[in-house]
Amino acid sequence: MKMNIEEERFKYQTDYLKKKPRACFWILQKLRDDVLDSFSQEQRVSIACSNNHSLRVKILCDYFSSPETPISLSSLISEWNEIEKKTKPFQWIDIKNKDQVYWFYMHIRRKINSNNYDFTAITDLVHMELSELYYIAHYIFDDWSSSQESKELLQIKMKKNWEQKKYRDKVKGKKVLNIYLESKVKDELKKLAKENNKTITDFVENLIQKEVKLVNERKRREENINKMNKNRRPLRDCS
């Protein structure tokens, strides 16, 4: 059966929500803040437990399938599109990186909270699972009523702060070693490191660890030989 215009529009909108987790999260939160009374009791329970993208899509599809909703999905999508134009996503955040997502969430809360952002409305929205922390943090940033320039500046600062944190974590427990090498030797070292897809530091560390392992193995063999020699019985003199 051929769909009418309204059905085609609704299908397009639901497909849009499925492909846009950030938009879906933002729209559901807006409904929760603005028109929660228009949801049924069952839908309110679902919203309170909506801790994954698929469930959020289902809630929105069920809600907007009714012709009596006080707000249209089209208007919310249009509003979101305007936000999305001005707010670039944090593409450098790896949603599977637990340390990074947690840092992202805490950093966003700390930075935007200092600008009097009200967090009370979202504290019970979802269980704090990894992917949800990411979407909550992004929602806070997306909904932050600040200028585009301020948002872009915060993104730049956050990326710089994360790179600094990564570097500090990487060099933690390490000491600086200044040595002099002949130019030819240094060039060969760079070449070897590149061929092994390592930094010079990592390559040198790897070489040292291998050498230490060889030295220890040689010592163990020598110790075993010495023990065997000590335990060997002297030959009897049969003359």
Side-chain angles (χ1 to χ4, degrees):
M1 183 182 294
K2 188 176 181 180
M3 292 186 292
N4 60 37
I5 295 176
E6 287 300 319
E7 289 174 334
E8 287 181 355
R9 181 185 292 115
F10 187 67
K11 183 180 184 305
Y12 168 80
Q13 291 170 340
T14 54
D15 288 342
Y16 175 93
L17 292 175
K18 291 175 184 177
K19 297 174 184 177
K20 299 270 192 175
R22 279 175 60 207
C24 189
F25 195 106
W26 183 88
I27 290 172
L28 183 59
Q29 179 60 29
K30 279 297 164 188
L31 290 174
R32 186 176 183 272
D33 289 345
D34 299 340
V35 291
L36 184 61
D37 291 343
S38 65
F39 285 89
S40 67
Q41 183 61 35
E42 183 180 353
Q43 287 173 328
R44 294 184 197 184
V45 172
S46 296
I47 291 172
C49 301
S50 57
N51 60 350
N52 65 73
H53 176 57
S54 297
L55 182 54
R56 284 190 283 271
V57 171
K58 184 179 184 304
I59 291 170
L60 290 175
C61 289
D62 290 346
Y63 178 74
F64 284 107
S65 63
S66 170
E68 299 178 359
T69 54
I71 188 170
S72 71
L73 181 55
S74 297
S75 63
L76 287 169
I77 288 177
S78 296
E79 190 176 347
W80 165 255
N81 286 336
E82 289 302 311
I83 291 175
E84 192 174 33
K85 286 178 185 177
K86 300 175 183 178
T87 309
K88 296 178 182 178
F90 289 81
Q91 294 179 335
W92 49 275
I93 298 291
D94 179 4
I95 197 170
K96 296 180 181 179
N97 184 329
K98 183 177 180 180
D99 291 338
Q100 189 181 40
V101 171
Y102 184 75
W103 177 90
F104 174 51
Y105 171 75
M106 296 303 295
H107 208 81
I108 284 287
R109 289 201 60 162
R110 185 168 61 252
K111 290 295 182 181
I112 298 182
N113 194 31
S114 66
N115 289 278
N116 299 319
Y117 191 94
D118 181 13
F119 290 101
T120 57
I122 66 164
T123 52
D124 63 339
L125 180 62
V126 292
H127 300 296
M128 295 298 182
E129 296 180 0
L130 188 60
S131 60
E132 296 306 296
L133 287 178
Y134 172 82
Y135 289 122
I136 290 174
H138 230 311
Y139 167 78
I140 294 169
F141 183 79
D142 291 334
D143 199 54
W144 181 28
S145 57
S146 187
S147 66
Q148 184 175 351
E149 291 76 15
S150 295
K151 287 190 170 186
E152 289 176 353
L153 181 60
L154 179 58
Q155 284 183 311
I156 292 170
K157 287 182 176 179
M158 284 183 64
K159 187 172 184 180
K160 184 177 180 180
N161 289 342
W162 173 251
E163 292 299 327
Q164 290 174 342
K165 181 185 183 303
K166 278 203 308 181
Y167 177 76
R168 289 194 301 269
D169 291 345
K170 185 177 180 180
V171 300
K172 188 176 181 180
K174 296 185 178 183
K175 302 292 184 181
V176 176
L177 176 64
N178 292 319
I179 60 173
Y180 291 94
L181 297 173
E182 291 185 5
S183 296
K184 184 178 179 180
V185 174
K186 186 176 180 180
D187 291 340
E188 290 294 336
L189 181 58
K190 286 182 178 179
K191 182 179 178 181
L192 288 169
K194 185 176 181 180
E195 288 176 352
N196 285 272
N197 295 319
K198 295 180 180 294
T199 63
I200 291 178
T201 300
D202 290 340
F203 183 71
V204 170
E205 284 184 353
N206 190 252
L207 283 178
I208 293 172
Q209 289 167 358
K210 285 182 178 179
E211 186 62 27
V212 168
K213 186 177 180 180
L214 289 173
V215 169
N216 289 336
E217 288 178 352
R218 186 165 61 247
K219 285 182 177 179
R220 282 195 294 270
R221 285 198 301 269
E222 291 174 353
E223 289 173 356
N224 289 334
I225 291 172
N226 289 334
K227 286 181 181 179
M228 289 175 62
N229 289 335
K230 286 181 179 180
N231 294 331
R232 185 178 297 168
R233 293 181 180 180
L235 295 174
R236 291 183 179 180
D237 187 359
C238 299
S239 58

